[in-house]
Coordinates of all heavy atoms in Angstrom, one line a residue:
M21 N 101.7 88.7 93.8 CA 103.1 88.7 93.2 C 103.2 90.0 92.4 O 102.2 90.5 91.9 CB 103.2 87.5 92.4 CG 104.6 87.1 91.9 SD 105.7 86.8 93.4 CE 107.2 87.4 92.7
A22 N 104.5 90.4 92.3 CA 104.8 91.6 91.5 C 104.5 91.5 90.0 O 104.7 90.4 89.5 CB 106.2 92.0 91.7
N23 N 103.9 92.5 89.5 CA 103.6 92.5 88.0 C 104.6 93.2 87.1 O 104.6 93.0 85.9 CB 102.2 93.2 87.8 CG 101.1 92.3 88.4 OD1 101.1 91.1 88.4 ND2 100.1 93.0 89.0
H24 N 105.4 94.0 87.7 CA 106.4 94.8 86.9 C 107.8 94.4 87.2 O 108.1 94.0 88.4 CB 106.2 96.3 87.2 CG 104.9 96.8 86.8 ND1 104.5 97.2 85.5 CD2 103.7 97.0 87.6 CE1 103.3 97.6 85.5 NE2 102.8 97.5 86.7
K25 N 108.6 94.6 86.3 CA 110.1 94.3 86.4 C 110.6 95.1 87.6 O 111.4 94.7 88.4 CB 110.8 94.5 85.1 CG 111.6 93.4 84.6 CD 112.3 93.7 83.3 CE 113.1 92.5 82.9 NZ 113.8 92.8 81.6
S26 N 110.3 96.4 87.5 CA 110.8 97.3 88.5 C 110.4 97.0 89.9 O 111.2 97.1 90.9 CB 110.4 98.8 88.2 OG 109.0 98.9 88.3
S27 N 109.1 96.5 90.1 CA 108.7 96.1 91.4 C 109.3 94.9 91.9 O 109.6 94.7 93.1 CB 107.1 96.0 91.5 OG 106.7 95.1 90.6
E28 N 109.7 93.9 91.0 CA 110.4 92.7 91.4 C 111.8 93.1 91.9 O 112.3 92.6 92.8 CB 110.5 91.8 90.2 CG 109.2 91.1 89.8 CD 109.3 90.3 88.6 OE1 110.3 90.4 87.8 OE2 108.3 89.6 88.3
K29 N 112.4 94.1 91.2 CA 113.7 94.6 91.6 C 113.7 95.2 92.9 O 114.5 95.1 93.8 CB 114.3 95.5 90.5 CG 115.7 96.0 90.8 CD 116.2 96.9 89.7 CE 117.6 97.4 90.1 NZ 118.1 98.3 89.0
R30 N 112.6 96.0 93.1 CA 112.4 96.7 94.4 C 112.3 95.7 95.6 O 112.9 95.9 96.6 CB 111.2 97.6 94.4 CG 111.3 98.9 93.8 CD 111.8 99.9 94.8 NE 112.4 101.0 94.2 CZ 113.6 101.5 94.4 NH1 114.4 100.9 95.3 NH2 114.0 102.5 93.7
I31 N 111.6 94.6 95.3 CA 111.5 93.6 96.3 C 112.9 93.0 96.7 O 113.2 92.8 97.9 CB 110.5 92.5 95.9 CG1 109.1 93.0 95.8 CG2 110.6 91.3 96.8 CD1 108.1 92.2 95.1
R32 N 113.7 92.7 95.6 CA 115.0 92.2 95.9 C 115.9 93.2 96.7 O 116.6 92.8 97.6 CB 115.7 91.8 94.5 CG 115.1 90.6 93.8 CD 116.1 90.2 92.7 NE 116.5 91.2 91.8 CZ 115.8 91.5 90.7 NH1 114.7 90.9 90.3 NH2 116.3 92.4 89.9
Q33 N 115.8 94.4 96.3 CA 116.6 95.5 96.9 C 116.2 95.6 98.4 O 117.1 95.8 99.3 CB 116.5 96.8 96.2 CG 117.2 96.9 94.9 CD 117.0 98.2 94.2 OE1 115.9 98.9 94.4 NE2 117.9 98.6 93.4
T34 N 114.9 95.6 98.6 CA 114.4 95.8 100.0 C 114.9 94.7 100.9 O 115.3 94.9 102.0 CB 112.9 95.9 100.0 OG1 112.5 96.9 99.1 CG2 112.3 96.1 101.3
K35 N 114.8 93.5 100.3 CA 115.2 92.3 101.1 C 116.7 92.4 101.5 O 117.1 92.2 102.7 CB 115.0 91.0 100.3 CG 114.9 89.8 101.1 CD 114.7 88.5 100.2 CE 113.3 88.6 99.5 NZ 113.1 87.4 98.8
T36 N 117.5 92.8 100.5 CA 119.0 93.0 100.8 C 119.2 94.1 101.8 O 120.0 93.9 102.8 CB 119.7 93.3 99.5 OG1 119.4 92.4 98.5 CG2 121.2 93.3 99.7
R37 N 118.6 95.2 101.6 CA 118.8 96.3 102.5 C 118.3 96.0 103.9 O 118.9 96.4 104.9 CB 118.1 97.6 102.0 CG 118.8 98.1 100.8 CD 118.2 99.5 100.4 NE 118.9 99.9 99.2 CZ 118.3 100.4 98.1 NH1 117.0 100.5 98.1 NH2 119.0 100.8 97.1
T38 N 117.2 95.3 104.0 CA 116.7 95.0 105.3 C 117.6 94.1 106.1 O 117.9 94.3 107.3 CB 115.3 94.2 105.2 OG1 114.4 95.1 104.5 CG2 114.7 93.9 106.5
L39 N 118.2 93.1 105.4 CA 119.2 92.2 106.0 C 120.4 93.0 106.5 O 120.9 92.9 107.6 CB 119.7 91.2 105.0 CG 119.0 89.8 105.1 CD1 119.5 89.0 103.9 CD2 119.3 89.1 106.4
H40 N 120.9 93.9 105.7 CA 122.0 94.8 106.0 C 121.8 95.6 107.2 O 122.5 95.7 108.1 CB 122.4 95.6 104.8 CG 123.5 96.5 104.9 ND1 123.4 97.8 105.3 CD2 124.9 96.3 104.8 CE1 124.6 98.4 105.4 NE2 125.5 97.5 105.1
N41 N 120.6 96.3 107.2 CA 120.3 97.2 108.3 C 120.0 96.4 109.6 O 120.4 96.9 110.7 CB 119.0 98.0 108.0 CG 119.2 99.0 106.9 OD1 120.4 99.3 106.5 ND2 118.2 99.5 106.3
R42 N 119.4 95.3 109.5 CA 119.2 94.4 110.7 C 120.5 94.0 111.3 O 120.6 94.0 112.6 CB 118.3 93.2 110.3 CG 117.7 92.5 111.5 CD 117.0 91.3 111.1 NE 115.9 91.5 110.2 CZ 115.5 90.6 109.4 NH1 116.0 89.3 109.4 NH2 114.5 90.8 108.6
Y43 N 121.5 93.7 110.5 CA 122.8 93.3 111.0 C 123.4 94.4 111.8 O 123.9 94.2 112.9 CB 123.7 92.8 109.9 CG 125.1 92.7 110.3 CD1 125.6 91.6 111.0 CD2 126.1 93.7 110.0 CE1 126.9 91.4 111.4 CE2 127.4 93.5 110.4 CZ 127.8 92.4 111.1 OH 129.1 92.3 111.5
Y44 N 123.4 95.6 111.2 CA 124.1 96.7 111.9 C 123.3 97.2 113.1 O 123.9 97.6 114.1 CB 124.3 97.9 110.9 CG 125.5 97.6 110.1 CD1 125.4 97.2 108.7 CD2 126.8 97.6 110.6 CE1 126.5 96.9 108.0 CE2 127.9 97.3 109.8 CZ 127.7 96.9 108.5 OH 128.8 96.6 107.7
A45 N 122.0 97.1 113.1 CA 121.2 97.5 114.3 C 121.5 96.5 115.4 O 121.6 96.9 116.6 CB 119.7 97.5 113.9
K46 N 121.5 95.2 115.1 CA 121.8 94.2 116.1 C 123.2 94.4 116.7 O 123.4 94.2 117.9 CB 121.6 92.8 115.5 CG 121.8 91.7 116.5 CD 120.6 91.6 117.4 CE 120.7 90.4 118.3 NZ 119.7 90.4 119.3
T47 N 124.2 94.6 115.8 CA 125.5 94.9 116.3 C 125.6 96.0 117.3 O 126.3 96.0 118.3 CB 126.5 95.1 115.1 OG1 126.3 94.1 114.2 CG2 127.9 95.2 115.5
M48 N 124.9 97.1 116.9 CA 124.8 98.3 117.8 C 124.2 97.9 119.1 O 124.7 98.3 120.2 CB 124.0 99.4 117.1 CG 123.8 100.6 117.9 SD 122.3 100.7 118.9 CE 121.0 100.4 117.7
R49 N 123.1 97.2 119.1 CA 122.4 96.8 120.4 C 123.4 96.0 121.3 O 123.4 96.2 122.5 CB 121.1 96.1 120.1 CG 120.0 97.0 119.6 CD 118.6 96.3 119.8 NE 118.5 95.1 119.0 CZ 118.2 95.0 117.7 NH1 117.9 96.1 117.1 NH2 118.1 93.8 117.1
N50 N 124.1 95.1 120.6 CA 125.0 94.2 121.4 C 126.1 95.1 122.0 O 126.6 94.8 123.1 CB 125.6 93.1 120.5 CG 124.6 92.0 120.2 OD1 123.7 91.9 121.0 ND2 124.8 91.3 119.2
A51 N 126.6 96.1 121.3 CA 127.7 96.9 121.8 C 127.2 97.8 122.9 O 127.9 97.9 123.9 CB 128.2 97.8 120.6
V52 N 126.0 98.3 122.8 CA 125.4 99.0 123.9 C 125.2 98.2 125.2 O 125.5 98.6 126.3 CB 124.0 99.7 123.5 CG1 123.3 100.2 124.7 CG2 124.3 100.7 122.4
R53 N 124.7 96.9 125.0 CA 124.6 96.0 126.1 C 125.9 95.7 126.7 O 126.0 95.7 128.0 CB 124.0 94.7 125.6 CG 122.5 94.6 125.8 CD 122.0 93.2 125.4 NE 120.8 93.3 124.7 CZ 120.6 92.9 123.5 NH1 121.5 92.2 122.8 NH2 119.4 93.1 122.9
K54 N 126.9 95.5 125.9 CA 128.3 95.2 126.4 C 128.8 96.3 127.3 O 129.3 96.1 128.4 CB 129.2 94.9 125.3 CG 130.6 94.5 125.7 CD 131.4 94.2 124.4 CE 132.8 93.8 124.8 NZ 133.7 93.5 123.7
L55 N 128.6 97.6 126.8 CA 129.0 98.7 127.6 C 128.3 98.9 128.9 O 128.8 99.2 129.9 CB 128.9 100.0 126.7 CG 129.4 101.3 127.3 CD1 130.9 101.2 127.6 CD2 129.2 102.4 126.3
R56 N 126.9 98.6 128.8 CA 126.1 98.8 130.1 C 126.5 97.7 131.1 O 126.3 97.9 132.3 CB 124.6 98.7 129.7 CG 124.1 99.9 129.1 CD 122.6 100.0 129.4 NE 122.1 101.3 128.8 CZ 121.3 101.3 127.8 NH1 120.8 100.2 127.2 NH2 120.8 102.5 127.3
A57 N 127.0 96.6 130.6 CA 127.3 95.5 131.5 C 128.7 95.7 132.2 O 128.9 95.1 133.2 CB 127.4 94.1 130.8
L58 N 129.5 96.6 131.7 CA 130.8 96.8 132.3 C 130.7 97.5 133.6 O 129.8 98.3 133.9 CB 131.7 97.7 131.4 CG 132.1 97.1 130.0 CD1 132.9 98.1 129.2 CD2 133.0 95.9 130.3
T59 N 131.6 97.0 134.5 CA 131.6 97.7 135.9 C 132.9 98.4 136.1 O 133.0 99.2 137.0 CB 131.4 96.6 137.0 OG1 132.4 95.6 136.7 CG2 130.1 96.0 136.9
D60 N 133.9 98.2 135.2 CA 135.2 98.9 135.3 C 135.1 100.2 134.5 O 134.9 100.1 133.3 CB 136.3 98.0 134.8 CG 137.7 98.6 135.0 OD1 137.9 99.4 136.0 OD2 138.5 98.3 134.1
K61 N 135.4 101.3 135.2 CA 135.3 102.6 134.5 C 136.3 102.7 133.4 O 136.0 103.3 132.3 CB 135.4 103.7 135.5 CG 135.1 105.1 134.9 CD 135.0 106.1 135.9 CE 134.5 107.4 135.3 NZ 134.1 108.4 136.2
D62 N 137.5 102.3 133.6 CA 138.6 102.4 132.5 C 138.2 101.7 131.2 O 138.3 102.2 130.2 CB 139.9 101.9 133.0 CG 140.5 102.7 134.2 OD1 140.1 103.9 134.3 OD2 141.2 102.1 135.0
E63 N 137.7 100.5 131.4 CA 137.2 99.7 130.2 C 136.1 100.4 129.5 O 136.0 100.5 128.3 CB 136.8 98.3 130.6 CG 138.0 97.4 130.9 CD 137.5 96.0 131.2 OE1 136.6 95.5 130.5 OE2 137.9 95.4 132.2
A64 N 135.1 100.9 130.3 CA 134.0 101.6 129.7 C 134.4 102.9 129.0 O 133.9 103.2 127.9 CB 133.0 102.0 130.9
V65 N 135.3 103.6 129.6 CA 135.8 104.9 128.9 C 136.5 104.5 127.6 O 136.4 105.3 126.6 CB 136.8 105.6 129.9 CG1 137.5 106.8 129.1 CG2 136.0 106.2 131.0
K66 N 137.2 103.4 127.5 CA 137.9 103.0 126.3 C 136.8 102.6 125.2 O 137.0 102.9 124.0 CB 138.8 101.8 126.5 CG 140.1 102.2 127.1 CD 141.0 100.9 127.2 CE 142.2 101.2 128.0 NZ 143.0 100.0 128.3
L67 N 135.8 101.9 125.6 CA 134.8 101.4 124.7 C 133.8 102.4 124.2 O 133.3 102.4 123.1 CB 134.0 100.2 125.3 CG 133.0 99.4 124.5 CD1 133.8 98.8 123.3 CD2 132.3 98.4 125.3
Y68 N 133.6 103.4 125.1 CA 132.5 104.5 124.7 C 132.7 105.2 123.4 O 131.8 105.3 122.6 CB 132.4 105.5 125.9 CG 131.4 106.5 125.7 CD1 130.0 106.2 125.7 CD2 131.7 107.8 125.5 CE1 129.0 107.1 125.5 CE2 130.7 108.8 125.2 CZ 129.4 108.4 125.2 OH 128.4 109.4 125.0
P69 N 133.9 105.6 123.0 CA 134.1 106.3 121.8 C 133.7 105.4 120.6 O 133.1 105.9 119.6 CB 135.6 106.7 121.7 CG 136.0 106.7 123.1 CD 135.2 105.7 123.8
K70 N 134.0 104.1 120.6 CA 133.7 103.2 119.5 C 132.2 103.1 119.4 O 131.6 103.1 118.3 CB 134.3 101.8 119.8 CG 135.8 101.9 119.7 CD 136.4 100.5 120.1 CE 137.9 100.6 120.1 NZ 138.5 99.4 120.6
V71 N 131.5 102.9 120.5 CA 130.0 102.8 120.5 C 129.4 104.1 120.0 O 128.5 104.1 119.2 CB 129.5 102.4 121.9 CG1 128.0 102.4 121.9 CG2 130.0 101.1 122.3
Q72 N 129.9 105.2 120.5 CA 129.4 106.6 120.1 C 129.6 106.7 118.6 O 128.6 107.2 117.9 CB 130.2 107.6 120.8 CG 129.7 109.0 120.7 CD 130.5 110.0 121.5 OE1 131.6 109.7 122.0 NE2 130.0 111.2 121.7
K73 N 130.7 106.3 118.0 CA 130.9 106.4 116.6 C 130.0 105.6 115.8 O 129.4 106.0 114.8 CB 132.4 106.0 116.3 CG 132.8 106.2 114.9 CD 134.3 105.8 114.7 CE 134.7 105.9 113.2 NZ 136.1 105.4 113.0
M74 N 129.7 104.4 116.3 CA 128.8 103.5 115.7 C 127.4 104.1 115.7 O 126.7 104.0 114.7 CB 128.8 102.1 116.5 CG 128.0 101.0 115.8 SD 127.9 99.5 116.8 CE 129.6 99.1 117.0
L75 N 127.0 104.6 116.8 CA 125.6 105.2 116.9 C 125.5 106.4 115.9 O 124.5 106.5 115.2 CB 125.4 105.7 118.3 CG 125.1 104.6 119.4 CD1 125.2 105.2 120.8 CD2 123.8 103.9 119.1
D76 N 126.5 107.2 115.8 CA 126.5 108.4 114.9 C 126.4 107.9 113.5 O 125.6 108.5 112.7 CB 127.7 109.3 115.1 CG 127.6 110.1 116.4 OD1 126.5 110.3 116.9 OD2 128.7 110.4 116.9
K77 N 127.1 106.9 113.1 CA 127.1 106.4 111.7 C 125.7 105.9 111.4 O 125.2 106.1 110.3 CB 128.2 105.3 111.5 CG 129.5 105.8 111.2 CD 130.5 104.7 110.9 CE 131.8 105.2 110.6 NZ 132.7 104.0 110.2
L78 N 125.1 105.1 112.3 CA 123.8 104.5 112.0 C 122.8 105.6 111.9 O 121.8 105.4 111.1 CB 123.5 103.5 113.1 CG 124.4 102.2 113.1 CD1 124.0 101.3 114.2 CD2 124.3 101.5 111.8
A79 N 122.9 106.6 112.7 CA 121.9 107.7 112.7 C 122.1 108.5 111.4 O 121.1 108.8 110.8 CB 122.1 108.6 113.9
K80 N 123.3 108.6 110.9 CA 123.5 109.3 109.7 C 122.9 108.6 108.5 O 122.4 109.2 107.5 CB 125.0 109.5 109.5 CG 125.4 110.3 108.3 CD 126.9 110.5 108.2 CE 127.3 111.3 107.0 NZ 128.8 111.4 106.8
K81 N 123.0 107.2 108.5 CA 122.5 106.4 107.4 C 121.0 106.1 107.6 O 120.5 105.2 106.9 CB 123.3 105.1 107.3 CG 124.7 105.4 106.9 CD 125.5 104.1 106.9 CE 126.9 104.3 106.4 NZ 127.7 103.0 106.4
N82 N 120.4 106.7 108.6 CA 118.9 106.5 108.9 C 118.6 105.0 109.2 O 117.5 104.6 109.0 CB 118.1 106.9 107.7 CG 118.1 108.4 107.6 OD1 118.0 109.1 108.6 ND2 118.1 108.9 106.4
I83 N 119.5 104.3 109.8 CA 119.2 102.9 110.3 C 118.5 103.1 111.7 O 117.6 102.3 112.0 CB 120.5 102.1 110.4 CG1 121.0 101.8 108.9 CG2 120.2 100.7 111.1 CD1 122.3 101.1 108.8
I84 N 119.0 104.1 112.5 CA 118.3 104.4 113.7 C 118.0 105.9 113.7 O 118.7 106.6 112.9 CB 119.1 104.0 115.0 CG1 120.4 104.7 115.0 CG2 119.2 102.6 115.1 CD1 121.1 104.6 116.4
H85 N 117.1 106.4 114.4 CA 116.7 107.8 114.4 C 117.8 108.6 115.2 O 118.4 108.1 116.1 CB 115.4 108.0 115.1 CG 114.8 109.3 114.9 ND1 115.0 110.4 115.6 CD2 113.9 109.7 113.9 CE1 114.4 111.5 115.1 NE2 113.7 111.1 114.1
K86 N 118.0 109.8 114.8 CA 119.1 110.6 115.4 C 118.8 110.9 116.8 O 119.8 111.0 117.6 CB 119.3 112.0 114.6 CG 118.1 112.9 114.6 CD 118.4 114.2 113.9 CE 117.2 115.1 114.0 NZ 117.5 116.5 113.9
N87 N 117.6 111.0 117.2 CA 117.2 111.3 118.6 C 117.5 110.0 119.4 O 117.9 110.1 120.6 CB 115.8 111.7 118.8 CG 115.6 113.1 118.3 OD1 116.5 113.8 117.9 ND2 114.3 113.5 118.2
K88 N 117.3 108.9 118.9 CA 117.5 107.6 119.6 C 119.0 107.5 119.8 O 119.5 107.1 120.9 CB 117.1 106.4 118.8 CG 117.3 105.1 119.5 CD 116.9 103.9 118.6 CE 117.2 102.6 119.3 NZ 116.3 102.2 120.3
A89 N 119.8 107.9 118.8 CA 121.3 107.8 119.0 C 121.7 108.8 120.1 O 122.5 108.5 121.0 CB 122.0 108.2 117.7
A90 N 121.1 110.0 120.1 CA 121.4 111.0 121.1 C 121.1 110.5 122.5 O 121.8 110.6 123.5 CB 120.7 112.3 120.8
N91 N 119.9 109.9 122.6 CA 119.4 109.4 123.9 C 120.3 108.3 124.4 O 120.6 108.2 125.6 CB 118.0 108.9 123.8 CG 117.0 110.0 123.7 OD1 117.2 111.1 124.1 ND2 115.8 109.7 123.1
L92 N 120.7 107.4 123.5 CA 121.6 106.3 123.9 C 122.9 106.8 124.4 O 123.5 106.3 125.4 CB 121.8 105.3 122.8 CG 120.6 104.3 122.5 CD1 120.8 103.6 121.2 CD2 120.5 103.3 123.7
K93 N 123.5 107.7 123.6 CA 124.8 108.3 124.0 C 124.7 109.0 125.4 O 125.6 108.8 126.2 CB 125.3 109.3 123.0 CG 125.7 108.6 121.7 CD 126.5 109.6 120.8 CE 125.6 110.7 120.2 NZ 126.3 111.5 119.3
S94 N 123.6 109.7 125.6 CA 123.4 110.4 126.9 C 123.3 109.4 128.0 O 124.0 109.6 129.1 CB 122.2 111.2 126.8 OG 121.9 111.8 128.0
S95 N 122.5 108.4 127.9 CA 122.3 107.4 129.0 C 123.6 106.6 129.2 O 123.9 106.3 130.4 CB 121.2 106.5 128.7 OG 121.5 105.6 127.6
L96 N 124.4 106.3 128.1 CA 125.6 105.6 128.3 C 126.7 106.5 129.1 O 127.4 106.0 129.9 CB 126.2 105.1 127.0 CG 125.4 104.0 126.3 CD1 125.9 103.7 124.9 CD2 125.5 102.7 127.1
S97 N 126.7 107.7 128.7 CA 127.7 108.6 129.4 C 127.3 108.8 130.9 O 128.2 108.8 131.8 CB 127.8 110.0 128.7 OG 126.6 110.7 128.8
K98 N 126.0 108.8 131.2 CA 125.6 108.8 132.6 C 126.0 107.6 133.3 O 126.5 107.6 134.5 CB 124.0 109.0 132.7 CG 123.5 110.4 132.4 CD 122.0 110.4 132.6 CE 121.4 111.7 132.1 NZ 119.9 111.7 132.1
H99 N 125.8 106.4 132.6 CA 126.2 105.1 133.2 C 127.7 105.2 133.5 O 128.2 104.7 134.6 CB 125.9 104.0 132.2 CG 126.5 102.7 132.6 ND1 126.0 102.0 133.7 CD2 127.5 102.0 132.1 CE1 126.7 100.9 133.8 NE2 127.6 100.8 132.9
I100 N 128.5 105.7 132.6 CA 130.0 105.7 132.8 C 130.4 106.6 133.9 O 131.2 106.3 134.7 CB 130.7 106.1 131.5 CG1 130.5 105.0 130.4 CG2 132.2 106.4 131.7 CD1 131.0 105.4 129.1
N101 N 129.7 107.7 134.0 CA 130.0 108.7 135.1 C 129.6 108.1 136.5 O 130.2 108.5 137.5 CB 129.3 110.0 134.9 CG 129.9 110.8 133.7 OD1 131.1 110.6 133.5 ND2 129.1 111.6 133.1
K102 N 128.6 107.2 136.6 CA 128.2 106.6 137.8 C 129.3 105.6 138.3 O 129.4 105.4 139.5 CB 126.9 105.9 137.7 CG 125.7 106.9 137.8 CD 124.4 106.1 137.7 CE 123.2 107.0 137.6 NZ 122.0 106.2 137.4
L103 N 130.0 105.0 137.4 CA 131.0 104.0 137.7 C 132.0 104.6 138.6 O 132.5 105.7 138.4 CB 131.6 103.3 136.5 CG 130.6 102.5 135.6 CD1 131.4 102.1 134.4 CD2 130.1 101.3 136.3
G104 N 132.5 103.8 139.6 CA 133.5 104.3 140.6 C 134.9 103.8 140.3 O 135.3 103.0 139.7

């Protein structure tokens, strides 16, 4: 157990931040899954900017790595370009 007031506070803060980050990471993963599942190009083109914005924000806040965001955006754009 924590011996200092500050370490107790750190534990509380970490718990809160972990929950927050987990929620946004899961939301991002669901959005990526939804976009990959689309077969209609028009719908995918409409959804892509929202997903791209989400990825950029999460990378900026260090919830995901910037290279992961770049790789996901790249693979999603390839997926959209393949759609007929």
